[in-house]
Amino acid sequence: MAAGFKTVEPLEYYRRFLKENCRPDGRELGEFRTTTVNIGSISTADGSALVKLGNTTVICGVKAEFAVPPTDAPDKGYVVPNVDLPPLCSSRFRSGPPGEEAQVASQFIADVIENSQIIQKEDLCISSGKLAWVLYCDLICLDYDGNILDACTFALLAALKNVQLPEVRINEETALAEVNLKKKSYLNIRTHPVATSFAVFDDTLLIVDPTGEEEHLATGTLTVVMDEEGRLSCLHKPGGSGLTGAKLQDCMSRAVTRHKEVKKLMDEVIKSMTPK
Amino acid sequence: MRSEYLTYTQARPAGRKSGLHVGCGAMEGAMRSDDKVCTETGIESSSRGPGCSLRHFACEQNLLSRPDGSAAFLQGDTSVLAGVYGPAEVKVSKEIFNKATLEVILRPKIGLPGVAEKSRERLIRNTCQAVVLGALHPRTSITVVLQVVSDAGSLLACCLNAACMALVDAGVPMRALFCGVTCALDSDGTLVLDPTAKQEKEARAVLTFALDSVDRKLLMSTTKGLYSDAELQQCLAAAQTASQHVFRFYRESLQRRYSKS
């Protein structure tokens, strides 16, 4: 009977749970779904990570290639993110050119990389004006169950931490690059931005880490990207119901605790990988 | 609805152009702490205190003949033209059974629209969706088309203001008005409202907010750069104060348009 009610009146069904301060999957309003991360699983990529946030699964692969630095910034490399939402992950996406959701997510990830300065682009330069690294970060969603932005940000961060770039030397006589695949070094990751997403219900209630259904029923969403020093690199609120300054404060404090959780998880995983 | 407006404007004295705007420059000048017009340089214009120094802005409504509503909004040198078509016929694939389908198209000044424009379109669309009473026009479409005429800083805020004025001009039912305000934080933490392009480039962080007219709640926010939580609250408070000027301008603009004098 509950299933019937849920089909006919999904919003009322949700409200019944929210009144008791919990959600249909048993979580509290401020609780995240189980987060698992698997780093370095793709051997053909220079860095990779798979993140699961409940059912939402995102895999990030980073490939490094050579490129000529931009003329207006000859000592900088490039980081090019791309988020792909294939028809595999959800029935709402069709095959073909990237839809709006994918484009917005790609732009969001590009903004996070730019604003939070995860990598200093100068570190990617090999020879000023001649050669630089370009990191193509491809994020593919394998299962879409809400909160794609958090999963993508985490996957990107974990994959970048896993990237190992070989040493490159420019031979003065031939002016060609000599790549030494035996000597690899990790990237210098300066900050660790972590995204926390909220959904606004009925203009007043804020819930953390919305699932696909919750996102559909919500009247607004909010994503906060914070680094370890409590600095915000992105406050993404694309329309939806209005929020007061006090509610924003609550979101910030939740984002701070989430950052600690994610950082701890990632450090544990990386530590367990190092004996290799 | 549209015919009503047309007959009304024809009744006006011949000296005035129909459906003309309010260039509220003089009033804005009085509100600013300093009267200097050269805010483009941004360096020598003296202390732009937070909360009261928006650039000169002007608005013109009903300037295009084909769309149901149109508006041109100018903030300093930034200018955006908006046209609204709706409520109109909607494609069956896009129709929603109980609400109007809102669409926003943003065209940059040069080049083809790219991923950044798609992202901004979504921000503007979701902001409009929060205020437009779509339930009054189910299975219809309301399209907002924005054309960037010139960009001299605070572009997204100008787009939001133009969209709001165009929706009002089209007579689309809304539960509140909204306005866009941009804040820039420079490296020593000073807040500058409504920054010019140069100020935006040199700033450490640029925050754009869309605020509601009823109780100044935050409808939309998008930010660039790094900043702290306290700075966010400070910018939000400054934006809320500045939005009062914008809403007052909207009200006066509409009053002048419909006054019988």
Side-chain angles (χ1 to χ4, degrees):
Chain A
M1 198 193 104
F5 184 56
K6 184 178 177 192
T7 321
V8 172
E9 282 285 342
L11 199 53
E12 263 313 309
Y13 178 78
Y14 253 83
R15 282 202 191 115
R16 299 273 171 93
F17 282 94
L18 292 175
K19 246 196 310 209
E20 308 291 327
N21 268 342
C22 74
R23 288 137 94 172
D25 53 2
R27 287 189 284 160
E28 306 252 320
L29 298 186
E31 200 183 318
F32 263 82
R33 289 174 281 183
T34 323
T35 316
T36 49
V37 59
N38 183 332
I39 299 186
S41 45
I42 304 180
S43 53
T44 46
D46 295 303
S48 62
L50 171 80
V51 167
K52 278 173 81 92
L53 220 69
N55 282 335
T56 302
T57 311
V58 171
I59 186 156
C60 176
V62 180
K63 294 282 285 181
E65 287 177 12
F66 286 140
V68 179
T71 37
D72 54 347
D75 55 348
K76 287 192 177 173
Y78 303 87
V79 181
V80 181
N82 183 41
V83 176
D84 187 20
L85 298 171
L88 167 72
C89 64
S90 167
S91 56
R92 70 168 95 168
F93 303 119
R94 301 276 160 87
S95 57
E100 199 208 342
E101 181 94 36
Q103 290 192 39
V104 169
S106 295
Q107 185 63 34
F108 175 80
I109 298 291
D111 287 340
V112 167
I113 296 173
E114 177 85 35
N115 294 341
S116 59
Q117 292 167 11
I118 302 182
I119 302 180
Q120 201 77 312
K121 294 210 174 112
E122 283 81 0
D123 293 345
L124 294 173
C125 181
I126 303 165
S127 163
S128 177
K130 295 205 192 75
L131 203 63
W133 285 113
V134 51
L135 296 175
Y136 289 109
C137 309
D138 294 303
L139 293 124
I140 301 170
C141 176
L142 300 172
D143 193 345
Y144 189 103
D145 193 19
N147 205 0
I148 195 86
L149 298 176
D150 282 12
C152 287
T153 325
F154 190 6
L156 178 76
L157 183 61
L160 285 173
K161 276 201 94 106
N162 181 237
V163 168
Q164 284 182 303
L165 293 179
E167 191 201 354
V168 183
R169 215 168 45 86
I170 307 258
N171 191 331
E172 287 91 31
E173 295 143 9
T174 60
L176 286 173
E178 282 172 11
V179 179
N180 185 356
L181 286 167
K182 299 218 172 35
K183 227 168 139 203
K184 291 197 174 181
S185 58
Y186 285 99
L187 283 176
N188 182 7
I189 307 288
R190 280 149 195 278
T191 58
H192 299 81
V194 170
T196 313
S197 293
F198 302 84
V200 186
F201 262 90
D202 288 337
D203 300 341
T204 43
L205 219 53
L206 276 166
I207 58 172
V208 139
D209 189 15
T211 63
E213 295 166 349
E214 287 168 1
E215 268 183 0
H216 191 67
L217 295 169
T219 50
T221 55
L222 167 70
T223 306
V224 176
V225 180
M226 200 178 260
D227 67 9
E228 56 264 12
E229 290 165 34
R231 288 178 306 185
L232 293 153
S233 50
C234 187
L235 178 69
H236 181 78
K237 184 183 188 301
S241 6
L243 283 181
T244 55
K247 281 235 149 45
L248 274 180
Q249 257 327 98
D250 299 336
C251 297
M252 298 303 155
S253 29
R254 185 68 187 88
V256 170
T257 38
R258 174 66 180 165
H259 188 282
K260 293 201 187 84
E261 292 164 17
V262 167
K263 185 98 193 333
K264 197 168 116 198
L265 176 63
M266 201 161 57
D267 289 340
E268 266 174 33
V269 175
I270 291 183
K271 207 165 64 168
S272 71
M273 278 175 58
T274 42
K276 276 191 201 160
Chain B
M1 268 197 301
R2 192 138 152 70
S3 53
E4 256 181 75
Y5 297 165
L6 280 176
T7 49
Y8 183 77
T9 53
Q10 276 159 19
R12 281 154 160 247
R16 275 205 227 165
K17 267 201 291 192
S18 58
L20 193 55
H21 72 296
V22 173
C24 215
M27 293 211 189
E28 278 310 294
M31 283 181 221
R32 276 214 231 146
S33 49
D34 69 280
D35 232 0
K36 291 198 193 142
V37 184
C38 59
T39 51
E40 287 318 297
T41 53
I43 311 167
E44 59 263 21
S45 69
S46 57
S47 55
R48 259 180 141 199
C52 67
S53 54
L54 300 169
R55 288 180 289 182
H56 160 118
F57 42 74
C59 168
E60 184 168 348
Q61 288 189 307
N62 205 15
L63 58 157
L64 300 173
S65 59
R66 306 240 87 176
D68 295 325
S70 54
F73 205 89
L74 290 92
Q75 271 179 233
D77 275 343
T78 308
S79 161
V80 174
L81 187 58
V84 170
Y85 291 90
E89 183 86 30
V90 67
K91 264 198 240 180
V92 184
S93 57
K94 288 195 208 157
E95 83 176 1
I96 305 175
F97 75 97
N98 59 345
K99 283 195 301 186
T101 310
L102 204 66
E103 244 177 58
V104 173
I105 302 170
L106 175 64
R107 301 211 141 251
K109 184 175 157 195
I110 33 179
L112 288 166
V115 182
E117 273 70 41
K118 262 280 184 282
S119 182
R120 293 213 185 111
E121 282 173 11
R122 168 177 274 209
L123 295 173
I124 299 172
R125 192 184 72 235
N126 286 18
T127 313
C128 294
Q129 263 169 355
V131 289
V132 164
L133 296 170
L136 292 178
H137 297 282
R139 296 192 317 280
T140 61
S141 85
I142 299 175
T143 311
V144 181
V145 185
L146 295 153
Q147 171 68 57
V148 176
V149 174
S150 67
D151 181 7
S154 309
L155 183 65
L156 186 58
C158 196
C159 290
L160 284 162
N161 293 336
C164 183
M165 287 272 93
L167 284 166
V168 168
D169 188 40
V172 171
M174 297 198 277
R175 67 166 182 80
L177 295 179
F178 59 92
C179 80
V181 183
T182 314
C183 296
L185 283 166
D186 65 9
S187 36
D188 37 313
T190 351
L191 207 131
V192 173
L193 281 175
D194 201 15
T196 60
K198 189 161 188 285
Q199 285 168 331
E200 273 185 2
K201 214 156 135 204
E202 291 166 357
R204 167 168 55 97
V206 178
L207 297 89
T208 306
F209 300 112
L211 299 161
D212 190 349
S213 66
V214 177
D215 40 14
R216 312 274 176 279
K217 277 205 193 146
L218 177 68
L219 287 175
M220 186 280 292
S221 110
T222 183
T223 66
K224 210 172 84 135
L226 279 170
Y227 50 96
S228 75
D229 189 12
E231 284 171 340
L232 169 70
Q233 296 294 348
Q234 194 191 354
C235 287
L236 189 56
Q240 282 169 335
T241 327
S243 68
Q244 283 172 9
H245 295 311
V246 184
F247 290 130
R248 199 176 333 156
F249 172 68
Y250 282 178
R251 181 175 279 269
E252 279 157 5
S253 170
L254 290 166
Q255 268 172 349
R256 275 205 206 179
R257 187 176 165 196
Y258 294 115
S259 68
K260 295 205 186 261
S261 61

